[in-house]
Amino acid sequence: MNVCVIGGGNIGTAIAAIMNQNGHEVYIKTRRPEQWSKTICYTDMESQKSFSAHISKITHDSKILAICDIVLITTPTFTLKNILDEIKPHLKKSTPIGIIPGTGGVEFIAKNMIEEGHIIFGLDRVPCIARVTKYGKNVSGLKKHSVRLCAFPKHKTSQLCDIIQDLFQLHCFPLDNYLTVTFTPSNPILHTTRLYAMYQNAAPTHSWKENVLFYEAWDDLSSQMLIACDTELQAVCKAINKLDLTGVVPLTTHYESHTIQAMTHKISNILSFKGITSPMIQKNGRYVFDLNSRYFTEDFPYGLCIIKGFAEIFSCKTPNIDIILQWYQHISGQMYFTKTGFNGPDLTKTAIPQNFGIHTKEDVYTFYQ
């Protein structure tokens, strides 16, 4: 297949290499094509074995999409609307557009294109953990054994699973409804609970002597909040009882860790998480919050806020999610809560369902069924 990958970051680089290794022609659309090499080196994190992959063309020009059989978007969710607007004139409606990962309110942001007949699909998680070691040239990765997928229109789901299996050479399982993808408790809970546990008592202007390892220094408070917020998400899933959301796997099951201590041990020892630092930048020789990091700009407004939005519709209490969102409100200046509830003015800049005409239980069921 001719595949266009939009985004030259960690995931985009890794999947480009993997797909070419599996026999496909790969094109990269990126803002920085001049920094790319047509030959990139992929190194497996576990075996340390490497291979070279060939990229057929690197460009910023959307015209490349006209020759592509499938498009995979790996950029942050907050860029998705602009990207879809940009590429739409160059796409055939029959060309599937995949979002990796497909969380973040993809179904709302792409709603107009879905209604116009475009094929939009999302993966529940990334197909590999990846770290660029030299931009546009070298990447290390650890491919997963499986992913799950759901598409609009729904009848395209199985066909697209077959394509993804061929592209990545892993198992791809179909999901019954897209809300299962949206609720996948990956970064929106994993990152936000950890950030709260690390920085909860720090003023927005606080600085640190050194950057903290995000996963290797994972502690029991991080696990406690992770499990608590994940439990609240499961309660929301149960409340949405006219949709089958059993596919939203609890993190205690996903990580095979059912106690706080077991979760701390598990996450702090995951090989692919080794060496990952916290979202900080240096200032005057010390480290401060990097509020422009995707950990903040994506995982709160396009992650945890969405879960809270559905919780509001189905009258589910989420005390721990509220604590974390209110903490983010304090350090970022965004206003999500007022004295009367989850109705702050800055919610218009998030991907909560209410921003897209979904206000009632009936609206939810109609949209996802």
Side-chain angles (χ1 to χ4, degrees):
M1 297 185 77
N2 291 332
V3 187
C4 181
V5 176
I6 298 180
N10 295 321
I11 300 302
T13 308
I15 65 171
I18 290 168
M19 290 187 294
N20 179 251
Q21 176 77 353
N22 292 334
H24 301 279
E25 293 288 322
V26 180
Y27 305 86
I28 297 284
K29 176 173 158 49
T30 173
R31 294 173 300 166
R32 297 184 278 169
E34 71 284 350
Q35 296 182 32
W36 272 73
S37 167
K38 280 201 168 183
T39 301
I40 56 177
C41 178
Y42 177 99
T43 302
D44 184 272
M45 288 179 179
E46 201 165 47
S47 69
Q48 293 302 306
K49 291 181 179 179
S50 299
F51 64 81
S52 294
H54 175 73
I55 307 301
S56 298
K57 188 174 180 66
I58 303 110
T59 182
H60 66 276
D61 193 342
S62 295
K63 291 177 182 176
I64 193 70
L65 300 171
I67 65 169
C68 291
D69 302 308
I70 189 168
V71 178
L72 301 176
I73 300 175
T74 65
T75 59
T77 310
F78 56 80
T79 67
L80 184 57
K81 183 183 184 303
N82 289 339
I83 287 173
L84 291 177
D85 289 343
E86 179 189 344
I87 68 175
K88 182 180 172 182
H90 306 279
L91 280 172
K92 294 175 285 189
K93 284 187 179 177
S94 58
T95 304
I97 305 166
I99 319 298
I100 303 176
T103 51
V106 164
E107 65 271 47
F108 306 140
I109 298 166
K111 188 169 182 280
N112 290 340
M113 289 186 70
I114 292 168
E115 290 172 346
E116 291 169 11
H118 287 271
I119 302 167
I120 305 288
F121 70 95
L123 303 186
D124 65 331
R125 296 177 185 270
V126 294
C128 63
I129 302 295
R131 297 288 172 263
V132 166
T133 49
K134 190 172 184 181
Y135 183 79
K137 297 175 178 63
N138 301 90
V139 65
S140 59
L142 188 63
K143 195 173 76 169
K144 296 180 180 177
H145 298 294
S146 66
V147 292
R148 301 183 302 169
L149 179 153
C150 193
F152 293 97
K154 194 181 291 187
H155 71 264
K156 292 285 185 180
T157 297
S158 293
Q159 176 190 348
L160 286 162
C161 277
D162 292 341
I163 292 172
I164 290 299
Q165 287 187 164
D166 182 51
L167 291 176
F168 297 132
Q169 294 297 300
L170 47 61
H171 297 293
C172 184
F173 300 103
L175 290 168
D176 180 63
N177 64 75
Y178 203 92
L179 190 53
T180 303
V181 176
T182 300
F183 277 175
T184 299
S186 184
N187 294 351
I189 286 181
L190 186 69
H191 287 170
T192 57
T193 53
R194 173 63 171 153
L195 289 170
Y196 169 79
M198 293 173 68
Y199 303 141
Q200 58 169 323
N201 295 318
T205 55
H206 189 79
S207 64
W208 288 262
K209 187 165 61 174
E210 59 186 21
N211 199 328
V212 180
L213 290 170
F214 195 77
Y215 296 104
E216 287 176 84
W218 191 278
D219 59 15
D220 284 349
L221 178 58
S222 303
S223 294
Q224 177 185 329
M225 293 304 293
L226 178 80
I227 293 170
C229 290
D230 192 47
T231 300
E232 290 172 2
L233 170 59
Q234 287 297 314
V236 175
C237 290
K238 288 175 183 174
I240 307 175
N241 54 26
K242 292 183 182 179
L243 294 177
D244 180 4
L245 293 175
T246 55
V248 183
V249 179
L251 286 172
T252 48
T253 302
H254 179 75
Y255 287 120
E256 299 175 322
S257 304
H258 295 276
T259 67
I260 290 172
Q261 293 74 23
M263 185 68 75
T264 299
H265 182 266
K266 177 73 174 188
I267 293 179
S268 61
N269 285 283
I270 294 175
L271 174 64
S272 56
F273 288 169
K274 297 283 184 184
I276 297 176
T277 53
S278 302
M280 295 179 172
I281 51 174
Q282 275 194 300
K283 186 176 181 180
N284 300 324
R286 290 176 66 85
Y287 288 89
V288 297
F289 292 136
D290 180 10
L291 290 174
N292 292 316
S293 162
R294 286 177 68 167
Y295 285 55
F296 291 105
T297 59
E298 184 162 12
D299 296 331
F300 287 93
Y302 293 89
L304 204 58
C305 278
I306 295 175
I307 296 170
K308 176 63 179 174
F310 279 98
E312 289 286 294
I313 293 171
F314 285 85
S315 302
C316 296
K317 293 184 178 180
T318 54
N320 292 284
I321 288 174
D322 293 358
I323 287 171
I324 293 175
L325 285 175
Q326 287 166 347
W327 167 79
Y328 178 65
Q329 176 171 299
H330 170 66
I331 65 162
S332 68
Q334 299 294 309
M335 185 173 286
Y336 296 153
F337 290 85
T338 68
K339 290 181 180 179
T340 57
F342 188 63
N343 54 17
D346 290 314
L347 286 174
T348 58
K349 296 181 284 186
T350 72
I352 60 172
Q354 290 87 341
N355 288 340
F356 302 90
I358 298 174
H359 299 281
T360 67
K361 296 178 182 181
E362 290 70 27
D363 291 340
V364 172
Y365 293 132
T366 299
F367 185 88
Y368 288 100
Q369 287 176 339

